[in-house]
Amino acid sequence: MSAGVARADGGRPPGSRIAVAAPLWVLLPALVLVPLALLLPGLSHGGGWSLVGQFALAALRPSLDPLVLSSALRGLGVTVGMALLGWALSLVLGLMLGALSSRLVWRQCSGRLWPAELIRRLLALPRSIHELLWGLILLQLVGLQPAVAVLAIAIPFGALVARVVSDQLDALPTGSLEALRSGGVAAPAALLTALGPPLLPQVLSYGGYRLECALRSATLLGVFGLGGLGTELRLTLQSLLFNELWTGLWLLLAAMLLLERLVGWLRRRWTMPARLSLSPQAPAPNRHAAVNGNTSGVGRGGRELVLAVALLVPVLVAVAWNLEVDPRSLLRWQPLPPLPPADWGAVAALPWPTLVANTLSLTLLAAALAVGVAPLLLLLVRPWPLGRAAVQGLWALGRLWPPPLIALLLLFVLQPGVVTGALALALHNLGVLGRLLLESAEHRGETTEQALLSAGSGPRLALLYGRFSALARPYLAYGAYRGDVILRESVVVGLVGATGLGSQLLEALSSFAVDELAALMVVYAALTLLGEDLSDRLRRRLLAG
Amino acid sequence: MTTRERWAVALAGLLLIGLLPTACTPRTDGNAGADGATSEAARPNEKRVLRIGAIPDQNPEKLNRLYGLVADELSEQLEVPVRFVPVTDYTAAVSAFRTGDLDLVWFGGLTGVQAWLQKPGARALAQRDIDRSFHSVFIANPRSGLKPFEDQSGLQQLKGKRFTFGSESSTSGRLMPQYYLTQAGVALSDFAGGNPGFSGSHDALIALVQSGTYDAGVVNEEVWLSRLREGKVDTDQVVAIWRTPGYANYTWVVQPNLDEEYGRGFTERLEQAFTSLSPDNPRQAQILELFGAETFVPASNEQYEAIEAVGRQIGKIR
Amino acid sequence: MDPAAVLELEGIHVRGRGQPRLEGVSLRLRAGERVALLGPSGAGKSTLLAVANGLIAPDRGSLRWQGQERARRPRARRRQQRRIGTLWQDLRLIEELSVQQNLNAGRLAHWGWPRALLNLLLPLESDACAATLRRLDLDPALLDQPVSALSGGQRQRVALGRLLRQEPMLLLADEPLASLDPRLAGELLALLLAEGRAPRALLLSLHRPDLLAGFDRVVGLRTGRVQFDLPVGAVNPGLLAALYAGEAP
């Protein structure tokens, strides 16, 4: 990415240098639509559209059969329960591990820094492996039980939360902490007193966002047989029972929107920062705190928070009880199957370069599509309030659908392969990114857009010049993060075949080829760690510039 | 507050955080025996729930109905609580069997072999009359130009066509068809796009070929015939082009330790419960009908040696 | 209807939460008239300006720009709004873009998509932009600078430059002097008064009643109503005291 504007240097005549200005950055990734438009006709078969039509029509007539309804409701209950438990556990894990991997905490408590670095690096590993893979590994180790899904969500999410918490901790101003310490207060108490309050809103905001992620993950795990509504969604889709499929989808949509509303409402009520400003490198001004006055907000929010936690604990216990989650059963490891001697020759003979290249192109294509198309769509429907509602609906459905199900649906009209997989991932992530874009567009560049409108600019140009300028950096920084997420997620569309490491992994799994599985996981993890590092650098550059 | 007190407060806070996960999880001592979710911990003198499962090769509503009936029937005949545990994924079903979370599973040929290779001592218990010699049917969309043929070498026509299997671990939708394709000299890379697709299920496969998404595919003959009977197939859009030779397929596979758990002779009584299913009893008749079977017959692991060999050959069994 | 009127407001009413934000406001600006809008905070000055530049549709009353009724259709109204330039108190410059691109933002209403997009790659109309800067006593070498790199005074002028690039008939300014030191405020006001000569008209809101000397008329606004509309010479301390009654000086 080049610098935003050409700088005047020396006697160069003004305006003589080509540079891509900020508003265009946001739209550049959408250029990927051009090659895609050329590729798609070759990949599609017209015949499947009637199936897609049936699927779409069935949305209007979901099955209301009491049997279907009750089974979907039960499935939804399990999915939400697994999400809730996994999320709660991940927060607890994340807070503890986050404190343990914070340089600040170690400096204050022991004066040594290396343990923080060590723990931080170790935590990269659980983070680099997608929750689906955790789920499938745990399934092999401890058997099919609800606790597997809960733990599969809690492990990678916990490591993610830990990273955010430690980053936040280390980025907090240390003035009040030093004041306390110089007043003779012991390290742990001083840390809690000085850093707890400023950390809390950040953690809560991020925690709320993780809860939404957990619901999506729990649905996805279900698609792969770990229980809940996802199971029914996949089976009904594969049996082409679209009316029954929509029963589950509508219920899930209702649950998701309800959860998002609740999280958003609590975020506003407890005056927490919005998500896009959540970056330790460049903390954006806290709009709400500025409006409401931080202190009063924290006081009221604080009491309600304690109340909410106090309410949450019995709810969690009840959920765990109902789902028959038994942590002790996690300790009863199952004997591994008799393993044939590993055949490393065969493993080495896998087409590794192709697998890696396919995975990377899948990721890039999906990321570019998701990042670029969201602002493009927003721009297109700007003048029409109805169009905007339609786009929002499309995004909600995209978020709702686990990518493997989107991929299966796309298979009705497209050939299996990288492009189909990428489209599925892109549609899902478009839903996530689009909502974020809308949310943050509400807070940035509003007045500039108004100024342009009042001068008679068209609504689209006013949006492009007025808002997208200010949004470009934070949005693309988030897009870089999303790219990292997509790389990790690319395993889940392995279902549609020939998508690189993901499909090879699922194939190895169904053949119980442990040697191949291990090698693939190592390569996958290495790739994700590399991707995470790259995306971090890109993000820092964007936010610093 | 003295320093010591502050330490104590901080420690108490940390402890609270640490205890949270333990507090969130229920003590299941009271209900473990009753619901059987935590099987391995069951006490010997309590009646443990027998958990049955099935690979998901049918629509979920039918699976629930069918195996609900089976659970009721077995529970009545054997006088133990029986529960059907749905699993979405072939692989997950095998794993759940290996880890002991399922006691009795209706497997396909390949998954059955995978199951008893992973759990030594497990064995094939009973199967339908039709499973001794099961067939797959290659189907095609007429617009692809593919025509029915008699000889296996006709599979050569599929080269360069868009072709899809069913589920990755399906015996009738993938394993045996792939074996016959290889025998006829068709490699997976010979299909259009360099790869076959995996539709995920037999029903989806028929729809995909019928819609023209794929030129051809291969499907479980039993499903094919029943969809034809139900009139769910548009015979102008999709036709059968070749029927494979017979091979052994579906079977109930049972854990090796049930006699210890439920008493001597239990596995045998289980087998009899299936082989004695009769169309004279209304519920049993319903089960047989949903299974598409006349009767159930005893099965043995040896019938599946050919499947195992093919599985090893194409890498689905290591 | 007055053929020479650039802006005509008659009986403008804008609802608010509780009490109305504007209540029966009538106001006429003829070409060459430079009018100061005075009033305490909350009097409705910003609302009046937002009505005048078309951002807010009045709930009642009629609004004419150069004799034309405010258009209902967005496209037609945008054509009317092209000729209305607003200088905002917070400037509302596009921080991420260069001075030239910001100046050209004033042309957006005249440009189609191709030029608007091209301007983001290779800033257009360098000569016109340089001329605008010179007119505002700025160095044309600034054109390539990002606006975020400019000083406060330079930014004020660039914002004014964007407005001039619109070639407006009506200049509106919402408390443009509020956050400026006296010297800068004086310079900016002089520029605005000079640009507001015929055939244009200028309507400028002020919080405090100083710097009124260069204006032709003064309109006093309080709780959404016009208290007085007089030539600048007729405004006396008594009127001003009544206008600001209740607000700490």
Side-chain angles (χ1 to χ4, degrees):
Chain A
M1 194 99 9
S2 65
V5 288
R7 284 167 201 274
D9 37 17
R12 196 182 292 276
S16 65
R17 204 195 304 177
I18 293 184
V20 180
L24 285 186
W25 298 2
V26 177
L27 294 180
L28 275 186
L31 284 180
V32 76
L33 282 172
V34 177
L36 195 67
L38 296 176
L39 271 175
L40 274 184
L43 290 174
S44 63
H45 331 289
W49 284 108
S50 66
L51 273 179
V52 175
Q54 281 174 31
F55 164 78
L57 274 180
L60 303 174
R61 288 180 290 116
S63 165
L64 296 176
D65 183 326
L67 259 178
V68 175
L69 212 58
S70 72
S71 125
L73 272 172
R74 207 168 334 115
L76 182 65
V78 173
T79 295
V80 171
M82 291 188 322
L84 211 57
L85 289 176
W87 167 78
L89 192 56
S90 79
L91 276 195
V92 173
L93 278 176
L95 278 174
M96 291 194 298
L97 292 171
L100 277 179
S101 58
S102 154
R103 285 184 216 105
L104 184 69
V105 169
W106 280 96
R107 190 184 304 129
Q108 294 293 329
C109 292
S110 77
R112 280 185 297 261
L113 285 181
W114 62 264
E117 282 301 321
L118 182 72
I119 296 172
R120 197 177 276 249
R121 263 156 223 246
L122 284 179
L123 281 179
L125 200 67
R127 207 168 56 218
S128 72
I129 293 173
H130 193 266
E131 53 266 26
L132 171 63
L133 292 178
W134 278 114
L136 296 175
I137 295 170
L138 286 169
L139 176 70
Q140 293 299 321
L141 293 179
V142 299
L144 184 66
Q145 47 178 316
V148 165
V150 172
L151 207 58
I153 293 174
I155 293 174
F157 277 34
L160 269 167
V161 173
R163 183 182 148 176
V164 170
V165 166
S166 66
D167 279 352
Q168 299 277 3
L169 266 176
D170 291 347
L172 284 176
T174 54
S176 57
L177 176 67
E178 275 150 20
L180 280 176
R181 288 288 277 156
S182 62
V185 179
L191 281 168
L192 264 180
T193 322
L195 302 185
L199 187 65
L200 193 64
Q202 310 271 0
V203 168
L204 284 176
S205 173
Y206 186 69
Y209 163 62
R210 287 320 303 177
L211 182 56
E212 297 168 19
C213 296
L215 181 62
R216 291 198 283 268
S217 288
T219 314
L220 177 84
L221 290 175
V223 171
F224 286 87
L226 294 179
L229 191 59
T231 305
E232 323 226 341
L233 294 180
R234 171 154 168 203
L235 286 181
T236 45
L237 175 61
Q238 290 196 330
S239 319
L240 312 178
L241 298 172
F242 297 136
N243 304 70
E244 298 178 16
L245 173 63
W246 276 102
T247 309
L249 280 178
W250 285 126
L251 282 177
L252 188 58
L253 184 69
M256 187 188 76
L257 291 180
L258 208 68
L259 179 72
E260 288 178 359
R261 286 283 151 85
L262 182 72
V263 167
W265 179 72
L266 286 179
R267 179 178 289 140
R268 279 189 301 277
R269 189 170 171 83
W270 293 341
T271 65
M272 291 178 282
R275 248 180 299 158
L276 213 56
S277 64
L278 195 90
S279 62
Q281 284 81 20
N286 187 333
R287 203 175 71 100
H288 301 294
V291 172
N292 298 349
N294 218 345
T295 41
S296 67
V298 165
R300 184 190 65 184
R303 274 191 303 281
E304 288 179 4
L305 194 68
V306 172
L307 197 69
V309 171
L311 275 175
L312 193 61
V313 171
V315 166
L316 288 172
V317 172
V319 166
W321 192 283
N322 269 315
L323 290 186
E324 298 169 1
V325 171
D326 182 0
R328 289 170 315 164
S329 64
L330 290 175
L331 300 176
R332 279 190 301 275
W333 283 34
Q334 309 293 328
L336 282 168
L339 293 177
D343 183 359
W344 295 113
V347 170
L350 282 176
W352 290 105
T354 320
L355 291 178
V356 172
N358 277 352
T359 304
L360 290 181
S361 39
L362 175 92
T363 304
L364 285 176
L365 185 58
L369 270 174
V371 171
V373 170
L376 191 67
L377 276 178
L378 210 56
L379 213 54
L380 284 178
V381 301
R382 183 63 178 185
W384 311 293
L386 264 181
R388 185 179 141 132
V391 162
Q392 269 178 302
L394 181 82
W395 287 344
L397 284 178
R399 283 199 300 285
L400 176 78
W401 274 81
L405 287 192
I406 303 182
L408 286 174
L409 193 68
L410 286 176
L411 272 188
F412 291 154
V413 284
L414 292 178
Q415 274 180 26
V418 169
V419 175
T420 308
L423 276 176
L425 272 181
L427 275 173
H428 177 69
N429 282 284
L430 177 64
V432 179
L433 270 163
R435 181 163 90 97
L436 193 88
L437 182 68
L438 258 184
E439 230 174 50
S440 50
E442 275 165 25
H443 305 322
R444 279 169 201 263
E446 187 184 6
T447 55
T448 319
E449 186 188 18
Q450 246 185 20
L452 294 174
L453 283 174
S454 78
S457 303
R460 294 197 183 102
L461 280 180
L463 177 67
L464 178 72
Y465 268 69
R467 292 209 193 211
F468 284 2
S469 300
L471 271 175
R473 280 171 186 282
Y475 176 69
L476 287 179
Y478 188 80
Y481 162 70
R482 210 65 218 169
D484 175 29
V485 173
I486 291 176
L487 175 60
R488 217 167 305 173
E489 266 181 5
S490 65
V491 63
V492 306
V493 292
L495 277 184
V496 300
T499 52
L501 294 169
S503 50
Q504 194 68 40
L505 238 158
L506 293 183
E507 175 79 31
L509 208 63
S510 76
S511 313
F512 300 95
V514 181
D515 43 4
E516 201 178 307
L517 198 62
L520 282 163
M521 293 262 272
V522 169
V523 173
Y524 220 133
L527 210 60
T528 346
L529 287 178
L530 209 68
E532 187 182 272
D533 185 57
L534 270 176
S535 119
D536 272 0
R537 279 165 203 263
L538 186 59
R539 202 147 48 117
R540 268 198 295 271
R541 259 189 72 171
L542 278 166
L543 290 176
Chain B
M1 255 199 302
T2 67
T3 316
R4 186 173 299 171
E5 277 166 338
R6 280 190 208 100
W7 269 105
V9 168
L11 260 175
L14 277 176
L15 266 178
L16 202 67
I17 292 172
L19 281 176
L20 214 58
T22 359
C24 290
T25 45
R27 308 195 170 281
T28 37
D29 307 45
N31 69 348
D35 63 38
T38 52
S39 59
E40 307 286 311
R43 271 119 302 195
N45 49 357
E46 274 178 65
K47 277 266 165 93
R48 208 195 66 171
V49 174
L50 182 81
R51 282 140 317 148
I52 63 173
I55 51 167
D57 67 337
Q58 306 264 5
N59 79 57
E61 184 238 331
K62 186 175 170 191
L63 284 175
N64 278 321
R65 206 146 48 98
L66 170 58
Y67 294 98
L69 285 174
V70 174
D72 292 348
E73 179 68 29
L74 290 180
S75 175
E76 204 175 288
Q77 286 204 25
L78 303 169
E79 293 167 328
V80 292
V82 181
R83 195 172 71 173
F84 170 59
V85 182
V87 187
T88 30
D89 197 81
Y90 283 43
T91 312
V94 175
S95 295
F97 182 80
R98 175 177 68 73
T99 54
D101 292 298
L102 295 174
D103 299 307
L104 176 68
V105 181
W106 180 244
F107 276 123
L110 172 63
T111 39
V113 174
Q114 285 178 335
W116 63 67
L117 285 178
Q118 294 196 14
K119 186 85 176 202
R123 70 175 189 88
L125 187 78
Q127 63 186 180
R128 301 170 301 181
D129 41 359
I130 52 172
D131 291 320
R132 296 198 152 171
S133 179
F134 202 86
H135 302 269
S136 301
V137 177
F138 281 79
I139 58 174
N141 189 307
R143 273 175 293 166
S144 65
L146 291 165
K147 297 268 182 298
F149 49 89
E150 291 296 320
D151 192 75
Q152 190 178 348
S153 61
L155 289 173
Q156 292 268 354
Q157 286 182 48
L158 292 172
K159 285 186 178 179
K161 300 290 182 188
R162 296 190 302 271
F163 182 83
T164 178
F165 288 120
S167 192
E168 277 169 330
S169 301
S170 163
T171 305
S172 57
R174 195 247 171 118
L175 180 87
M176 292 313 287
Q178 184 172 341
Y179 171 68
Y180 295 122
L181 282 166
T182 318
Q183 258 189 357
V186 182
L188 296 191
S189 53
D190 289 335
F191 295 124
N195 274 298
F198 290 100
S199 70
S201 80
H202 299 296
D203 282 310
L205 188 139
I206 297 173
L208 288 172
V209 174
Q210 183 168 312
S211 70
T213 304
Y214 290 96
D215 296 324
V218 61
V219 63
N220 175 326
E221 185 184 43
E222 187 204 348
V223 173
W224 173 246
L225 292 177
S226 90
R227 295 300 171 269
L228 277 178
R229 268 199 307 276
E230 295 161 9
K232 285 193 176 161
V233 177
D234 180 352
T235 45
D236 293 335
Q237 296 299 321
V238 56
V239 292
I241 53 173
W242 189 62
R243 182 186 196 228
T244 66
Y247 52 85
N249 199 358
Y250 295 91
T251 174
W252 285 106
V253 180
V254 66
Q255 292 278 1
N257 64 341
L258 293 192
D259 283 6
E260 295 149 35
E261 297 265 350
Y262 293 96
R264 190 183 295 263
F266 183 81
T267 313
E268 211 153 296
R269 284 170 55 212
L270 202 54
E271 183 179 322
Q272 275 162 13
F274 281 109
T275 53
S276 67
L277 287 175
S278 137
D280 300 334
N281 172 314
R283 180 161 65 199
Q284 297 182 359
Q286 222 180 334
I287 291 175
L288 286 173
E289 193 199 322
L290 283 168
F291 260 111
E294 301 277 322
T295 56
F296 274 81
V297 295
S300 70
N301 295 14
E302 289 72 39
Q303 289 172 273
Y304 295 86
E305 278 165 2
I307 299 256
E308 182 175 343
V310 177
R312 287 193 192 281
Q313 201 179 321
I314 68 170
K316 294 305 292 180
I317 294 175
R318 306 287 165 117
Chain C
M1 208 174 82
D2 183 343
V6 178
L7 172 72
E8 282 175 286
L9 305 176
E10 269 175 43
I12 296 292
H13 199 92
V14 175
R15 276 196 294 270
R17 245 183 253 165
Q19 69 173 43
R21 285 149 73 188
L22 291 180
E23 219 176 343
V25 171
S26 297
L27 181 66
R28 175 176 303 172
L29 261 75
R30 309 179 70 168
E33 274 191 312
R34 291 164 298 182
V35 177
L37 185 61
L38 277 186
S41 9
K45 299 191 296 286
S46 296
T47 308
L48 182 57
L49 287 171
V51 169
N53 69 23
L55 267 185
I56 294 181
D59 295 305
R60 280 206 305 275
S62 83
L63 163 60
R64 279 188 294 275
W65 290 302
Q66 295 173 279
Q68 274 188 338
E69 214 41 74
R70 181 187 200 270
R72 291 247 173 91
R73 292 168 168 274
R75 195 174 288 269
R77 190 171 60 248
R78 288 208 297 274
R79 212 167 299 124
Q80 296 173 329
Q81 283 176 302
R82 277 183 199 172
R83 311 304 295 273
I84 305 165
T86 310
L87 184 67
W88 305 86
Q89 187 188 345
D90 53 359
L91 303 185
R92 308 196 175 177
L93 290 170
I94 306 166
E95 300 297 331
E96 292 75 12
L97 297 184
S98 71
V99 169
Q100 185 169 350
Q101 283 161 331
N102 266 284
L103 289 174
N104 282 336
R107 299 302 297 164
L108 279 184
H110 298 262
W111 288 353
W113 272 91
R115 305 190 84 186
L117 285 180
L118 192 61
N119 183 48
L120 292 176
L121 280 174
L122 180 74
L124 302 174
E125 301 190 0
S126 304
D127 293 340
C129 289
T132 305
L133 285 193
R134 267 185 230 106
R135 185 165 165 182
L136 297 171
D137 274 335
L138 284 176
D139 181 358
L142 288 179
L143 280 181
D144 273 355
Q145 295 278 348
V147 285
S148 52
L150 302 186
S151 72
Q154 287 171 324
R155 291 163 60 86
Q156 289 278 354
R157 285 165 197 242
V158 171
L160 185 55
R162 173 172 78 183
L163 180 155
L164 294 180
R165 291 277 290 141
Q166 269 181 266
E167 296 168 11
M169 291 305 292
L170 175 62
L171 297 183
L172 303 172
D174 190 5
E175 304 199 16
L177 314 177
S179 54
L180 300 182
D181 65 56
R183 188 180 57 85
L184 276 178
E187 284 173 16
L188 182 67
L189 186 58
L191 276 171
L192 278 167
L193 289 170
E195 296 293 346
R197 277 196 284 264
R200 290 177 178 153
L202 168 69
L203 178 64
L204 188 151
S205 75
L206 288 171
H207 181 53
R208 303 301 314 165
D210 34 22
L211 299 166
L212 291 179
F215 290 92
D216 302 306
R217 257 166 60 212
V218 178
V219 173
L221 201 64
R222 184 181 166 84
T223 56
R225 293 168 180 276
V226 175
Q227 299 292 314
F228 58 81
D229 183 350
L230 296 166
V232 69
V235 177
N236 59 47
L239 278 174
L240 292 175
L243 188 66
Y244 287 97
E247 186 173 273

